[in-house]
Amino acid sequence: MKKDIKINYEHFKGRNELNEVENSLFEKAILARENAYAPYSSFFVGCAVLLENGEIFTGNNQENAAFPSGLCAERTALFWIGANFPHEKIKKIFVVGGPKEFSEKNPPIPPCGACRQSIIEYETKQNENIELYFSNLNDEVIKVSSIKDLLPFYFDGTFL
């Protein structure tokens, strides 16, 4: 039997459509992106994470000549939060990415597969969805209410 999967998401054509909190996360992700270390790919990604206590933490991608020893922006931020705030719930994640040199052609940049799997782990751990926003440098934003929208056949601890 053939079945279809429907993905629910919101599309914002510009930052002016975002609320104050979302705009703040967007700005912090852009600033984090500027400090990314990406000398090999020239693909810079920044991430801002909002915790339930209102604090915002950021991360950016960190490359390494010994591939795959680097780390994505999302996991850089999430793992630091997991190590320092293990009981604090994550409410929102905002990702901004693209080539170092601006290009109007780039679509919003979603998390890679490894980052999606890591976000699933945190959603499962806290038993609560994490809103995910991803964007390009043109201020175009996609929002999903859970990483499960981007990874419907996810793997978690219930399989072990």
Side-chain angles (χ1 to χ4, degrees), residues 19-121:
N19 66 34
E20 185 177 336
V21 171
E22 295 162 343
N23 261 306
S24 177
L25 289 167
F26 193 173
E27 191 61 38
K28 289 183 185 311
I30 287 173
L31 291 173
R33 180 187 174 276
E34 292 174 5
N35 292 324
Y37 180 68
Y40 307 104
S41 70
S42 291
F43 196 85
F44 286 60
V45 181
C47 176
V49 179
L50 174 67
L51 300 182
E52 189 171 51
N53 67 9
E55 291 188 77
I56 298 173
F57 295 95
T58 61
N60 48 44
N61 57 316
Q62 299 293 311
E63 293 183 350
N64 191 296
F67 291 118
S69 296
L71 198 59
C72 298
E74 299 92 316
R75 287 181 287 147
T76 300
L78 287 172
F79 294 166
W80 190 90
I81 290 167
N84 292 282
F85 295 92
H87 305 294
E88 195 67 40
K89 288 187 177 181
I90 298 168
K91 302 305 284 181
K92 300 175 188 290
I93 298 173
F94 209 113
V95 181
V96 178
K100 182 177 183 179
E101 300 303 321
F102 177 78
S103 171
E104 292 186 16
K105 298 178 186 177
N106 292 352
I109 307 299
C112 73
C115 288
R116 292 177 193 205
Q117 185 63 43
S118 294
I119 296 168
I120 281 285
E121 189 70 23

Side-chain angles (χ1 to χ4, degrees), residues 5-10 142-146 148-150:
I5 294 175
K6 180 180 175 185
I7 297 174
N8 292 310
Y9 66 94
E10 293 181 56
I142 302 292
K143 173 189 173 187
V144 293
S145 62
S146 167
K148 294 172 192 138
D149 293 326
L150 299 182

